[in-house]
Amino acid sequence: MTGTSVLHQSLLLAQNDDPPKHQQLNIIRLKEQECLSLLKRCNNMEQFKQVHAQLLKWDLFSNSFSATKLVATCALSDWGSMDYACSIFRQIDDPCAFQFNTLIRGLVKDIQFEEALFLYVDMVERGVEPDNFTYPALLKACARLRGLEEGMQIHGYVFKLGFQDDLFVQNALINMYGKCEEIEFSCAIFNQMDQKSVASWSVIIAAHAKVGLWYECLMLFGEMNSEGCWRPEETTLVTVLSACTHLGALHLGRCTHGSLLRNISELNIIVQTSLIDMYVKCGCLAKGLCLFQMMPQRNRLSYSVLISGLAMHGHSQEALRLFSEMLRQGLEPDDVVYVGVLSACSHSGLVNEGLRCFERMISEHGIVPTLQHYGCMVDLMGRAGLLGEALELIKRMPVEPNDVVWRSLLSACKVHHDLEIGEIAAKNLFRLSSQNPSDYVVLSHMYAQARRWDDVARTRIEMARKGLNQTPGFSWVEVARKVYKFVSQDRSHPKWDNIYEMIYQMEWQLKFEGYSPDTSQVLLDIDEDEKKERLKGHSQKLAIAFALIHTSQGSPIRIARSLRMCNDCHTYTKLISLIYEREIIVRDRKQFHHFKDGTCSCRDYW
């Protein structure tokens, strides 16, 4: 009955005859039931207001149940109006906790988080005692606002009123602390829970993902599965996919893909894109391309993920062709897409193509370059050895260059041994109060390459004065469905003696291929033998040795690194791929190296 008032659907409400006195009470009850029935059938504000008018006409609004139903319908329905719901609420003389809770939930649903908190304050000031249903919505508001102080105050009320053991409140607290990046508090609540739900596991995994503890995400997911009674939610599986993506854990990513297919009838475009991102960033570009081609519908994000993925794997020309296809499909590129395009040019030294794309981004698509775009251009020029041009570009930037831009120039100066421009980059980094110890380490290494040991000492002393400690480089490798982490010079693994024995065997084989350790990569004032020993313990070499011991002949080895690969590890890995007839895929921060038959996909340009 489209366009027909809901009131016209009721003969009872249309009655005009005055009933006898003895029937009035029954009629009023019937009127209320009829109004509430019609309230359930409302699907727009016009119909809702007609029912509201009838409740007022029959003086039924004073009934707490009817008033509650009105507030809930208006506040929580997709077609409702929070302003109108608030106006109804204000007409209630003594609202109860349930009515306050309903309006708080509506405000949170309507993204009016601060108003929800103000309403809670009003509730407390009026002497209305909150219940366990009050706090999940309030804590969600704090989580969305990143309001740690407010969240902790509400946590105090939770304890005061004895709701700390309520499952829904506990889940909301874990989520709130997670969103505020207070992972210790999230873990403390989770570990104290007597009873957990699927949502409990989901929020604690998400809390670890929020602060980048990807390895811990996978460990928690493993614990969840080991209990055998939880069916993971879609959001949890997508978070686990992100963890696999960051760690390069392809096998676990494949298992998560299988879980998605088993638990979800149809994968939406966001999940499909996440899968493509996972396969690409775990070194399996072919699978990512296959999934992309199978997508019934693609959006700008899908193209952006694959363009960036192709760039990471050194397939820059293919990335530019895909960008052209995206434009032919009528999809307008945004600033994120152009970051991928410029990165593609940077990774393969396509300087002219990069300059043309940068100009096209501004003139044709009207995108104002961000610091990320300028960082890509500085990286493009720096990798190509155009350090003077990169410095001039930084000086001409209409925005103040940030630490990422200067750091990109500093790294390029290290590669091309330009100490003069490197000192300029470092000076500007330190002017920005850089607290990144790697900036000092890079400058120190450049001084060491120039044999300026006094400057090396001065730089290291400055690091110590500021309390900056360089985190040792580490590598992840996936073996037998588990991810193993190796730190440089690591001897903490239970089988470290086997690993170093394998290192010895590898070096023996390498001698026959003419390998000689590149001790120039050890920038310490120590003798040659000590330098060779330090090179031997680089985390990538330990990870390769462990994988060679524990994986079958001919199977690929996949490694993810925290720091940039040194020249010696690059040469070493090329030769190992030839000697042991293995494909070794190394994710070097934002670039992939596919080592096979003694060559690398980067063609030694990185």
Side-chain angles (χ1 to χ4, degrees):
M1 301 180 68
T2 306
T4 304
S5 165
V6 289
L7 298 182
H8 293 167
Q9 301 171 34
S10 168
L11 293 175
L12 182 60
L13 289 182
Q15 292 177 0
N16 293 315
D17 298 333
D18 291 330
K21 295 289 185 179
H22 66 275
Q23 294 181 4
Q24 279 191 356
L25 185 59
N26 287 338
I27 288 175
I28 288 173
R29 286 174 180 166
L30 289 171
K31 293 281 188 185
E32 182 178 27
Q33 290 173 10
E34 188 70 21
C35 284
L36 294 177
S37 176
L38 292 172
L39 195 60
K40 291 179 181 177
R41 299 205 294 271
C42 289
N43 53 34
N44 59 54
M45 281 302 296
E46 183 183 351
Q47 293 176 354
F48 176 81
K49 287 177 181 178
Q50 291 175 35
V51 178
H52 185 195
Q54 285 297 315
L55 285 167
L56 291 172
K57 175 183 175 181
W58 287 94
D59 195 26
L60 296 171
F61 182 77
S62 57
N63 181 311
S64 177
F65 184 74
S66 298
T68 299
K69 284 291 185 182
L70 275 173
V71 172
T73 303
C74 193
L76 303 178
S77 299
D78 291 335
W79 47 261
S81 163
M82 276 311 302
D83 288 341
Y84 199 86
C86 290
S87 71
I88 297 171
F89 180 82
R90 285 193 291 269
Q91 294 168 20
I92 302 172
D93 293 331
D94 294 305
C96 64
F98 186 84
Q99 291 161 340
F100 270 104
N101 293 349
T102 301
L103 200 62
I104 288 170
R105 282 175 58 205
L107 288 166
V108 172
K109 177 178 175 288
D110 202 46
I111 320 179
Q112 298 186 46
F113 305 123
E114 291 182 353
E115 288 77 1
L117 296 177
F118 288 138
L119 184 61
Y120 172 69
V121 172
D122 184 37
M123 179 182 185
V124 174
E125 288 178 348
R126 287 200 197 189
V128 179
E129 186 168 304
D131 57 25
N132 57 320
F133 296 104
T134 308
Y135 292 105
L138 275 175
L139 290 166
K140 183 177 181 180
C142 294
R144 296 291 295 273
L145 288 169
R146 307 293 187 265
L148 178 61
E149 184 178 345
E150 293 84 353
M152 293 183 78
Q153 289 177 7
I154 290 170
H155 192 177
Y157 274 100
V158 166
F159 264 99
K160 181 180 177 181
L161 297 173
F163 300 133
Q164 67 271 19
D165 294 325
D166 182 90
L167 178 62
F168 296 100
V169 173
Q170 289 172 323
N171 289 345
L173 282 166
I174 294 169
N175 178 60
M176 183 274 294
Y177 283 121
K179 290 282 171 55
C180 294
E181 301 186 14
E182 293 290 342
I183 190 65
E184 297 86 359
F185 293 155
S186 289
C187 290
I189 296 164
F190 181 80
N191 292 332
Q192 291 169 9
M193 293 175 74
D194 295 327
Q195 179 187 0
K196 297 180 177 73
S197 65
V198 174
S200 309
W201 287 100
S202 181
V203 291
I204 192 64
I205 290 171
H208 282 82
K210 176 68 178 173
V211 292
L213 296 173
W214 304 111
Y215 184 81
E216 289 77 4
C217 284
L218 294 186
M219 294 302 101
L220 283 164
F221 185 62
E223 286 180 42
M224 178 183 174
N225 285 334
S226 67
E227 294 197 4
C229 54
W230 308 112
R231 181 176 176 175
E233 299 173 333
E234 181 180 356
T235 53
T236 305
L237 291 171
V238 171
T239 303
V240 171
L241 266 185
S242 294
C244 295
T245 302
H246 283 86
L247 295 175
L250 178 62
H251 182 81
L252 290 169
R254 282 174 174 156
C255 292
T256 308
H257 187 182
S259 294
L260 283 164
L261 293 174
R262 286 191 300 273
N263 291 301
I264 300 165
S265 56
E266 187 175 348
L267 304 182
N268 62 40
I269 195 168
I270 296 172
V271 176
Q272 289 173 328
T273 302
S274 297
L275 283 166
I276 293 168
D277 194 40
M278 182 275 292
Y279 279 112
V280 164
K281 290 181 179 173
C282 286
C284 198
L285 180 61
K287 181 65 175 179
L289 281 166
C290 180
L291 288 176
F292 181 81
Q293 289 159 1
M294 290 168 59
M295 288 179 79
Q297 182 184 357
R298 300 165 188 158
N299 61 11
R300 185 167 58 193
L301 180 60
S302 310
Y303 275 97
S304 179
V305 163
L306 195 55
I307 288 168
S308 297
L310 287 164
M312 290 177 74
H313 287 269
H315 298 280
S316 299
Q317 294 292 355
E318 290 86 342
L320 295 179
R321 280 196 289 271
L322 189 64
F323 177 59
S324 299
E325 179 192 310
M326 174 186 163
L327 297 179
R328 287 195 300 273
Q329 294 294 326
L331 292 170
E332 188 71 16
D334 61 3
D335 57 330
V336 177
V337 172
Y338 264 107
V339 168
V341 171
L342 294 174
S343 294
C345 297
S346 175
H347 286 178
S348 293
L350 305 176
V351 178
N352 293 331
E353 290 87 341
L355 291 169
R356 281 197 295 269
C357 287
F358 188 74
E359 178 59 32
R360 186 180 187 184
M361 177 183 78
I362 300 168
S363 60
E364 189 173 327
H365 295 112
I367 297 171
V368 177
T370 65
L371 281 168
Q372 258 192 306
H373 297 118
Y374 281 112
C376 287
M377 294 305 293
V378 170
D379 188 52
L380 170 69
M381 294 174 178
R383 285 173 184 255
L386 304 173
L387 301 174
E389 291 86 339
L391 181 59
E392 285 304 311
L393 176 64
I394 294 173
K395 290 178 179 178
R396 296 197 309 269
M397 283 170 52
V399 290
E400 183 71 20
N402 64 359
D403 58 329
V404 177
V405 173
W406 286 116
R407 191 168 294 121
S408 181
L409 181 61
L410 179 62
S411 296
C413 290
K414 179 191 173 189
V415 171
H416 294 286
H417 308 293
D418 191 323
L419 183 55
E420 182 181 352
I421 294 180
E423 285 184 313
I424 294 171
K427 181 180 178 181
N428 280 280
L429 272 170
F430 303 151
R431 180 178 58 82
L432 293 170
S433 302
S434 170
Q435 296 299 307
N436 189 333
S438 66
D439 299 333
Y440 291 87
V441 171
V442 170
L443 182 62
S444 170
H445 283 189
M446 292 177 71
Y447 284 136
Q449 285 175 331
R451 303 289 176 181
R452 288 169 54 174
W453 300 113
D454 289 344
D455 289 320
V456 171
R458 179 176 53 79
T459 307
R460 294 285 179 172
I461 289 168
E462 182 65 13
M463 273 185 73
R465 188 183 69 79
K466 291 187 175 182
L468 303 176
N469 295 310
Q470 172 71 352
T471 304
F474 55 85
S475 298
W476 290 290
V477 62
E478 187 178 20
V479 171
R481 304 186 183 187
K482 290 185 179 181
V483 177
Y484 295 87
K485 179 179 175 181
F486 291 93
V487 180
S488 291
Q489 317 305 323
D490 195 354
R491 292 180 183 264
S492 63
H493 194 278
K495 296 184 178 180
W496 69 266
D497 50 344
N498 294 356
I499 294 168
Y500 278 90
E501 175 61 28
M502 188 66 199
I503 291 280
Y504 175 79
Q505 292 180 29
M506 289 157 64
E507 291 198 340
W508 179 259
Q509 296 278 357
L510 285 164
K511 288 178 182 178
F512 295 105
E513 298 297 331
Y515 167 74
S516 177
D518 183 3
T519 55
S520 67
Q521 300 300 301
V522 182
L523 301 173
L524 298 172
D525 194 10
I526 54 179
D527 63 38
E528 285 296 303
D529 288 339
E530 281 188 82
K531 288 181 179 181
K532 288 177 182 179
E533 281 300 310
R534 293 192 69 86
L535 281 176
K536 188 184 297 183
H538 279 194
S539 65
Q540 181 171 319
K541 296 174 183 176
L542 299 178
I544 291 171
F546 181 77
L548 287 173
I549 295 169
H550 295 284
T551 57
S552 58
Q553 179 64 37
S555 61
I557 296 171
R558 302 177 190 277
I559 294 169
R561 293 179 52 91
S562 65
L563 298 177
R564 191 172 183 176
M565 196 185 324
C566 72
N567 287 337
D568 182 71
C569 281
H570 194 267
T571 303
Y572 187 103
T573 309
K574 281 197 298 185
L575 293 172
I576 290 294
S577 73
L578 175 67
I579 295 166
Y580 289 89
E581 298 180 348
R582 296 285 197 104
E583 182 181 7
I584 304 173
I585 300 125
V586 180
R587 190 175 77 189
D588 185 14
R589 296 192 299 184
K590 293 184 179 180
Q591 184 170 352
F592 273 94
H593 297 260
H594 294 255
F595 297 95
K596 191 174 182 180
D597 300 326
T599 63
C600 180
S601 59
C602 75
R603 300 178 296 279
D604 297 340
Y605 183 87
W606 96 101

